[in-house]
Amino acid sequence: MDQAAWHKVAHIPDNLSIIYLPAYSPELNPIENVWHYLKSHYISNRIFFNLEDIINACCHAWNLFCEKGEQIKTVAGCKYAIIN
């Protein structure tokens, strides 16, 4: 979890262990890798004529990404958070 102020005030159940990311380290946040993948594979180098085109392209990219289970594990996996 990043160290955003609104995350720190959330109630954390006793049965969860939170791993806080160091400040200013987006490369450690798995969702940042997902956004980078989506932009580089589906959304970049395109011309959008209006907001609806952008939203449709993002939804299409997200849906294609969600169909690739193994790709999600590769892109969003973070070895530092695996606890055995």
Side-chain angles (χ1 to χ4, degrees):
M1 182 182 320
D2 64 21
Q3 296 188 41
W6 54 84
H7 292 152
K8 292 181 181 179
V9 297
H11 172 70
I12 309 297
D14 294 334
N15 63 343
L16 290 179
S17 297
I18 302 300
I19 300 172
Y20 288 102
L21 297 172
Y24 306 107
S25 58
E27 70 279 0
L28 297 177
N29 190 346
I31 195 65
E32 296 295 338
N33 296 334
V34 172
W35 299 137
H36 181 329
Y37 180 86
L38 292 175
K39 288 188 285 185
S40 65
H41 286 81
Y42 300 110
I43 301 172
S44 64
N45 298 323
R46 295 181 57 188
I47 296 173
F48 300 103
F49 296 102
N50 54 43
L51 179 60
E52 185 178 346
D53 287 347
I54 296 170
I55 292 171
N56 288 337
C58 291
C59 290
H60 181 68
W62 182 256
N63 289 333
L64 289 174
F65 181 70
C66 288
E67 292 174 0
K68 302 177 180 181
E70 288 301 314
Q71 189 71 38
I72 294 170
K73 290 179 188 177
T74 303
V75 172
C78 51
K79 295 175 185 147
Y80 60 87
I82 297 173
I83 300 171
N84 293 325

